Structures are given as C-alpha cells and as structure tokens.
Amino acid sequence: MRRRSVSLLGLAGLLVLPLTSIPQAQAQAPAQPRAQERGEAAAAADSLVSAGKPVTASSVEGTGFEAGRAVDGNTATRWASLEGVDPQWVRIDLGAAHTVSRVKLNWEAAYGKAYRIQTSADGTTWTDVYATTTGDGGVDDLTVSGSGRYLRMHGTSRGTPYGYSLWEFEVYGAPSGGGVPGGPAVPFGSHLKPYAAGTLKPSGAQAVLDQKVVEYYNKWKAAFVRQNCGNGWYQIISPDADHPYVAEAQGYGMVVTATMAGADPDAKKIFDGLVKWKIDHPSSVNPNLLAAEQDVACKSVNGGDGATDGDMDVAYGLLLADKQWGSAGTYNYKDLALKHIAAIKKDELNPTTKLLKLGDWSSSGDQYYYISRTSDWMVDHFRAFRTASGDTTWDAVRSAHQTQISRLQSTYASGTGLLPDFVVDTNTTPKPAPGQVLEDPNDGAYWWNACRTPWRIADDAVTSGDATSLAAARKLNSWIKTKTGGDPNKIAIGYKLNGTQISAGSEAAFFAPFAVAAMTDPGSQAWLDALWNKMLTTPVDTSSYFSASIQLQVMITASGNHWVP
C-alpha cells in the first residue's frame, strides 16, 4: 500500500493515556478489615508469587514510573498513575492460576482511599477479594482468599489530588494447577515463546519493556480502532491511505490485537469485530480473501479485489487467534485461516516463480504478473502457513523468497543490503523496478514499501534463528549503524539502493524497523538501545496508521513478545 504523504510526527497523542475499560464481576465481596499482623501458620504457607511478573496499568505518570517498578523488589522505585484521574488500576499476570492468601500494598504519598483487590481467571471478568473506602496510605498488609491468574488493585477514589502510586505491590500464594478457561494461551508479557539464542533486547527490566509497549498500544488503539459502521464490525482506520479502510490496516489490527491479548481485556472482542469485517468484505476475485479498500460508508470500492500484504497478515492473525483462544467460539479461526491461506496460494502466489503477486487481481498475461513487492515477503508467515496447513508448498515459497532477498542484496545493494519497493522480471532475472511500475518513480528504491523489510526479515531471524534471515538482517543493521554513526535521528526517509538519501526528515516507518535488525547483532546493544529510546520519545502520529502500526509491531518484537503460531 503506497504512503501518500510524508508527515513529521506531532505531539498529539501523548497527552492522555486512555483508560482501558474492564467489565466488573457480578458478585461483590464485602469489605474486609485491614490486617497488619498475620498468624504464623498463614505466614508459613505464603510464598511471594508476584516478583518480576508482567504488570500492566491503566496509565503511567511518565518515564520512570512504569508499572513493572511495583514488582521489582526495590522500595526506592514505584509505579505512579496519571494525576487527577479516577479510576485507575495496576494488574499483575501471575502466569498461571494461583490461590492467593495475602496482598501487600506499600503506598507512596499518593494512595488509594477507595480501592478493590480483584482476581480474574481470564483478565476480563473480575471478582473482588477485598474492598475499602477508608484507605489511609502507608502499608496495607491484607489477608485475602481468592484464586486466579490475574490480580489487580482497582482504585476508584484517590486519597490525594495526585494519582495512585505504589512502591511495591506484593502478592502471596501458591500455584493451583490447571489452565485458565477462556483466557489467552500466550498472554502478552508471558514470554512463553523464547527467541533464538543470542538475540538482543533493549536494556532494562523486562516488565518495564512490556509496560512501554502497553502504553504505546493504548494510544494506538485510541487513535485507530473504530466501530464506525455498526454491524458488529471493528475497523482500523487509515487516515493516510487512499481510503479510510484498507486491508493492510485490518491485517495489522488482527495481528496486534491477538498478540496483545492478556494486556487488553477487549482484545478478543476487537479481534472478532475485525473477523466479521473480513467475512463481510470478501474480495470480488476470491471470496476467502479480504477486499482491499472500503469507503466512508464501509463499502468496498475499486473493484473490491484483494491485496497480498493485507491478506498475509489476516491469515497470520487468524492463526494467532486460534492458538490464543481456540476455534470453538463464535468464529472458527483455524478454518478461516486455512481457507485464507489456500486462497493466497491460489490467487496471490505466482505458481511458476513461487513469489507473491501484488494481489488476486493480477493474472497470467498482464503486465503485473511478474512483479512482486518485497515488503510482502514475510518469512515467518510462510513458516506459520506451512505448520498450520501441512502444505510443503510453503517450504518452497519460503526458500524462493529468501533466495531472492540474498540475491538482491548481493547483486544490487552489496554495500547496504537495502531492498527495493518492487521487483520486476521475476520469471527471468529478478531486478529492482527501473522506475515507476505501480506507485511511484522510486518503485526501485528503498521507499515507503520496502522500509518495512528490516522488520519483516529480522522477525524471522529472531524467532527461527535461520542463518539466511540472520545474514540479511545483519547486513542491513551493519550498514545503517555505520551510515548514521549510531544516531537514529539521522535515519532518513528513503534511500537509493546504494545508500544515497532520498528525503530528509524522520519517520517511524523508516527508523523503527531497524531496531529488529539490530536485535540480531550481539555487538549492537548500544545501537538497539538508541533505537528503542528513539521510539519511546516518538509519540503516536494520529495522522498515520502506517508509521504508528509499524512502530507498535516493532516494539512488540523488540520487547520479546512476537511469536509464530
């Protein structure tokens, strides 16, 4: 999908972190007395189960007050919410079902006067195990009785004009065994899918990295997730595209919301609304694919055919959803995914070259049949399609794309590793587009499509450890680190394949993807940290779903939360 404009990032979107709405349980437990002293038998049975666990919060006052600091065992660091706003919450994911017998809140001066301690099996439905309207700060050492995977402090009335702030939030109990019915299998922040050995992550506590992603996600969600047309649909709006709704954006939304399950209690609801959108907007060529563009009335336009980039992510998102929630609910995610994958193979894959076409609208004999877009070459997606379908064709497809990545780098960008937006003559000797073949005079350069390739290539490298993907990612990383002297602010908007800058300025779509490439090089910790910090100081550009969505997905990978179903 072509980016129509180059806009500098604004400051809007950092002003307020949206609160996440979480349904309250029907049953309400009565308020329990504050327990400052505990019996020896109870104390002997308790174990601290919250230390270092993933933590999310409704808001954060600012840098240095992230939610993870409430479980870091350091009473000199703290979580603090936005000031002057009720309600607020901070939630711990214990990683599995636990019985909980004790909760200890070490309040900073900004304490909760009225708050509840709540448990949940799935992060959606909450049960009170303690409630008070007369909190007075200090240390609340509470005897409770409950169970669940998740536990949160839900504050409804502040004790001061400021916010809520905890030096430490301690939970004591024991694993209770069993799963979490209805909860996600790989909740965000669980890190159940480790990366390849030697992969870097940004410096800092894991809980802090996770919290930064949640904060950015909440802003992205507020800016781009919509319910504009009724019918139970959710859409990702695309203010910087040719139409308000494009398949690329819906694909991003499906991958993101399935991945953020466990951090966003509404993730499944949003995902199902996006699924309904996909089903109700079929491609006119292959109804198992998604029509590429919709207008303000939410009706498909421009022929209603499919676009490969969006369809690749839609299929991948459905596979993530099947692993997260299973396929026995409203939608059979696995069945929809397999049909989508088969449709991509039938109508968006060139059967001769095994390279992806631009969309299902291109057919044998037309001028676009042997053109491919490098940003569609999502190697980890090919691996997921092979695993889900059992179809060995996807092994050949993966190999064909990796071969061309290596060949293009060595033949046309030996000094940079950069890939062009479009590749032509894929049936003979594939080469960068000689000029405008579809969208722009820079179709043969590293421009608004190919800017995603360091992220896409390195996503496979960090999750699979594949030598070919690692080599391609490291080539890109080595060049850009040297080109900029280790300063992310010097990453330009676009390059010729020889490294000549095309446009000045700074865009997340161009600088963020290099962070994933940096993760593949053991000697690039300082460079990765510089890129991560650049992202942290870059607000969500509410006028560009493209840049914001790319940065969010890069942050998900960089924090260790990307996984292949």
Side-chain angles (χ1 to χ4, degrees), residues 2 371-375 377 408 412-413 416-424 431-454 476 479 492-503 510 514:
R2 182 185 177 189
I371 298 178
S372 191
R373 181 191 292 109
T374 61
S375 54
W377 299 0
L408 287 164
Y412 298 100
T416 65
L418 296 170
L419 298 181
D421 273 15
F422 295 96
V423 176
V424 300
K431 62 184 180 183
Q436 184 168 353
V437 296
L438 185 70
E439 294 182 352
D440 191 279
N442 288 313
D443 279 353
Y446 181 83
W447 196 227
W448 283 98
N449 286 290
C451 62
R452 295 169 284 186
T453 57
L476 286 160
W479 170 75
I493 299 176
Y495 294 95
K496 301 295 185 182
L497 298 190
N498 65 3
T500 301
Q501 177 178 315
I502 294 175
S503 181
F510 282 88
F514 284 115

Side-chain angles (χ1 to χ4, degrees), residues 187-493:
F188 179 85
S190 62
H191 306 283
L192 295 175
K193 306 282 187 177
Y195 288 165
T199 300
L200 299 179
K201 282 194 287 188
S203 299
Q206 182 63 67
V208 174
L209 300 180
D210 292 342
Q211 180 62 30
K212 290 299 184 184
V213 180
V214 174
E215 291 171 20
Y216 194 91
Y217 166 75
N218 283 337
K219 298 167 189 173
W220 173 88
K221 177 181 173 183
F224 303 111
V225 177
R226 294 287 184 271
Q227 282 187 291
N228 286 344
C229 302
N231 294 319
W233 294 330
Y234 271 89
Q235 317 91 27
I236 309 301
I237 197 166
S238 49
D240 46 332
D242 291 340
H243 294 87
Y245 313 107
V246 295
E248 177 186 79
Q250 313 320 311
Y252 286 163
M254 292 175 76
V255 172
V256 166
T257 51
T259 304
M260 296 303 297
D264 182 356
D266 293 328
K268 190 174 187 298
K269 179 174 69 174
I270 296 170
F271 188 90
D272 282 354
L274 292 168
V275 171
K276 190 173 192 304
W277 176 272
K278 165 223 159 7
I279 292 171
D280 293 346
H281 295 85
S283 166
S284 58
V285 176
N286 189 320
N288 286 317
L289 299 174
L290 171 61
E293 299 170 311
Q294 289 78 40
D295 62 16
V296 292
C298 295
K299 294 182 178 180
S300 296
V301 293
N302 285 352
D305 43 39
T308 302
D309 50 3
D311 284 319
M312 288 286 291
D313 274 335
V314 167
Y316 193 82
L318 287 164
L319 292 177
L320 288 172
D322 173 62
K323 295 298 184 184
Q324 285 286 42
W325 301 298
S327 290
T330 304
Y331 298 107
N332 187 328
Y333 305 129
K334 183 67 174 290
D335 181 65
L336 289 169
L338 291 176
K339 288 177 179 176
H340 213 96
I341 291 166
I344 292 172
K345 176 183 174 181
K346 178 179 181 294
D347 286 312
E348 293 182 332
L349 180 70
N350 189 304
T352 302
T353 66
K354 295 294 188 291
L355 298 178
L356 291 170
K357 300 188 300 174
L358 302 175
D360 61 1
W361 47 268
S362 176
S363 58
S364 180
D366 71 36
Q367 61 181 316
Y368 303 105
Y369 192 60
Y370 292 110
I371 298 178
S372 191
R373 181 191 292 109
T374 61
S375 54
D376 297 354
W377 299 0
M378 307 171 198
V379 179
D380 60 346
H381 290 36
F382 299 143
R383 293 186 195 276
F385 296 174
R386 167 67 170 88
T387 299
S389 68
D391 186 348
T392 57
T393 298
W394 293 107
D395 290 331
V397 170
R398 175 174 56 81
S399 178
H401 287 85
Q402 288 186 292
T403 295
Q404 289 308 320
I405 290 170
S406 299
R407 200 186 67 80
L408 287 164
Q409 284 187 322
S410 62
T411 305
Y412 298 100
S414 60
T416 65
L418 296 170
L419 298 181
D421 273 15
F422 295 96
V423 176
V424 300
D425 298 340
T426 60
N427 58 324
T428 54
T429 304
K431 62 184 180 183
Q436 184 168 353
V437 296
L438 185 70
E439 294 182 352
D440 191 279
N442 288 313
D443 279 353
Y446 181 83
W447 196 227
W448 283 98
N449 286 290
C451 62
R452 295 169 284 186
T453 57
W455 155 47
R456 294 299 196 183
I457 292 169
D459 257 2
D460 182 64
V462 301
T463 53
S464 73
D466 179 89
T468 301
S469 292
L470 278 169
R474 287 170 176 167
K475 190 173 185 69
L476 286 160
N477 178 64
S478 177
W479 170 75
I480 192 63
K481 183 168 64 168
T482 301
K483 175 76 173 180
T484 61
D487 182 357
N489 295 307
K490 294 181 180 178
I491 296 176
I493 299 176

